[in-house]
Amino acid sequence: MKAPDEPSFDEIAMVEPVAVGVYAVQLAELNQSDTIAIVGAGAIGLSVVQAAKVAGVSRIIVIEPVSERREAALKLGASEVVDPRESNPVTAIMELTGKRGTDVVFEATGAETAVEQCSKIARVLGKVVIVGIPDDDYYKFDEIGRASCRERV
């Protein structure tokens, strides 16, 4: 595909989230047989959906409260979507995966509770790829492996 000689500002603005999504998928070293979950379907989460689909992943589950974003995720390649306002995401993923969990979970929200939620969604020896950036730009992991955003003093 040939890039335009003079890309529009809208096209330029989309390069960063797409690049982040592609890089996150590369870091995860996905297999086609993997079942993955993506928490958050904003620009970066949707970029992860597309990059995972291009990588050949057959089962992509997206967790997202906004209906338009869930619809976009399905159009872009997600197999299933979960509305966290209607069902507990951890319970939903366990039901969808036969209580196994997913091989890889991508956190794409930056929300305080998202990383902990991801650790509960991933299967034993699964991977959690943290893509979202919290307001304070870092996460604190406590001694029992749960994560939360830490307030700066």
Side-chain angles (χ1 to χ4, degrees):
M1 172 176 7
K2 184 180 184 298
D5 292 332
E6 294 183 32
S8 70
F9 287 116
D10 289 341
E11 291 168 327
I12 292 168
M14 285 307 300
V15 170
E16 190 269 342
V18 170
V20 170
V22 169
Y23 185 60
V25 166
Q26 289 174 339
L27 285 175
E29 298 178 342
L30 298 175
N31 295 308
Q32 292 180 344
S33 62
D34 283 343
T35 294
I36 70 166
I38 302 164
V39 180
I44 290 175
L46 292 174
S47 294
V48 173
V49 170
Q50 293 175 86
K53 193 68 177 176
V54 168
V57 175
S58 58
R59 191 164 190 204
I60 303 168
I61 306 166
V62 173
I63 301 166
E64 171 58 51
V66 179
S67 63
E68 292 82 7
R69 290 180 176 184
R70 287 193 310 276
E71 290 171 21
L74 288 168
K75 287 179 184 175
L76 294 172
S79 316
E80 295 126 309
V81 292
V82 173
D83 183 346
R85 295 171 305 162
E86 292 183 10
S87 61
N88 178 300
V90 175
T91 303
I93 293 293
M94 291 304 151
E95 288 173 2
L96 290 169
T97 62
K99 298 185 181 179
R100 181 178 182 268
T102 62
D103 299 294
V104 181
V105 184
F106 294 87
E107 190 290 309
T109 68
E112 183 173 339
T113 59
V115 174
E116 180 179 352
Q117 186 179 75
C118 289
S119 70
K120 293 176 181 178
I121 289 170
R123 68 170 174 80
V124 172
L125 298 177
K127 299 175 190 175
V128 175
V129 180
I130 302 171
V131 186
I133 300 172
D135 290 336
D136 291 333
D137 290 338
Y138 58 93
Y139 289 97
K140 176 188 174 198
F141 294 86
D142 68 21
E143 65 279 357
I144 59 173
R146 296 189 318 192
S148 62
C149 293
R150 180 175 66 189
E151 290 184 17
R152 290 195 179 179
V153 181

